[in-house]
Amino acid sequence: VTLSNYDALAIGFAGTRGGVDEQMSTVLNDIAPAAHAEGSELSELERESYEQRERAVRRDGSWRLRVVAPPAYPVARLAADETTAAAAVPIAYPLLGVALHAYGATAVPTDAAPPGPNWNVEALRKRVASATAGSGRIVVHAMPDAARDHVDAWGPLPPSFGLMRTLKERFDPHGLCNPGRYLGGL
């Protein structure tokens, strides 16, 4: 659906042909007009272009980040960094409260320098937490090897960590399933 300010919302449907047709009809004939937006089905070329963008943000760039926040927040812009060239166009899933960002690395981190091209993951985390009243998080999916000693991929422990630990202990009492590979060493 193309909105009047030239932002775009791509919606994908899966299911039976009849179900997909019904959902597409509802979006185009009911929801888009009610939102004062224009809507159209993506052409095959547009669909392929979108899929390529999604693959690029998941695979390109030395730094790949996932922003997670409640759906009320603009996840696509929360971790955008105008000082660093993106390696791929960010992809956002606003109804899920998730956005994916990819950046290249132009500097090698040291103990005295922030890890990253021209920005610091911790500064981004603080900005996202501040903009979301503490409910937003950044998870680093990929980073340069030189940054691994400087950056915790998971970030600070959430308030729900105690519950996570209890669930892990109940479902994996012997600690056999990926020990130490999750948030907080779970």
Side-chain angles (χ1 to χ4, degrees):
V1 177
T2 303
L3 304 177
S4 59
N5 65 357
Y6 301 105
D7 286 340
L9 173 64
I11 302 171
F13 299 110
T16 64
R17 183 76 239 164
V20 169
D21 289 345
E22 180 66 30
Q23 291 173 47
M24 181 67 75
S25 176
T26 300
V27 167
L28 295 177
N29 300 324
D30 299 331
I31 296 173
H36 306 292
E38 296 177 25
S40 63
E41 187 170 355
L42 295 177
S43 69
E44 194 62 39
L45 182 60
E46 290 168 323
R47 198 173 4 260
E48 177 59 30
S49 173
Y50 180 80
E51 289 169 1
Q52 285 178 1
R53 284 180 51 206
E54 186 165 7
R55 283 191 299 271
V57 80
R58 290 180 184 275
R59 112 190 135 226
D60 295 346
S62 300
W63 289 91
R64 292 192 300 278
L65 313 173
R66 178 181 51 169
V67 178
V68 181
Y73 294 97
V75 290
R77 293 188 295 263
L78 286 175
D81 185 359
E82 295 78 22
T83 65
T84 305
V89 175
I91 297 289
Y93 305 95
L95 296 177
L96 298 176
V98 173
L100 305 174
H101 295 264
Y103 296 101
T106 58
V108 177
T110 67
D111 288 332
N118 295 314
W119 49 278
N120 182 317
V121 173
E122 293 310 311
L124 270 171
R125 283 185 167 137
K126 287 177 185 172
R127 191 170 82 211
V128 167
S130 175
T132 62
S135 60
R137 301 182 50 77
I138 290 181
V139 176
V140 180
H141 285 222
M143 69 180 89
D145 288 340
R148 295 198 182 280
D149 291 337
H150 304 277
V151 177
D152 179 359
W154 296 103
L157 298 177
S160 60
F161 184 71
L163 174 62
M164 290 179 193
R165 183 183 5 245
T166 301
L167 286 170
K168 171 76 170 160
E169 290 167 357
R170 295 270 171 97
F171 286 101
D172 185 19
H174 302 293
L176 301 175
C177 184
N178 292 322
R181 296 196 54 179
Y182 188 55
L183 180 74
L186 287 182

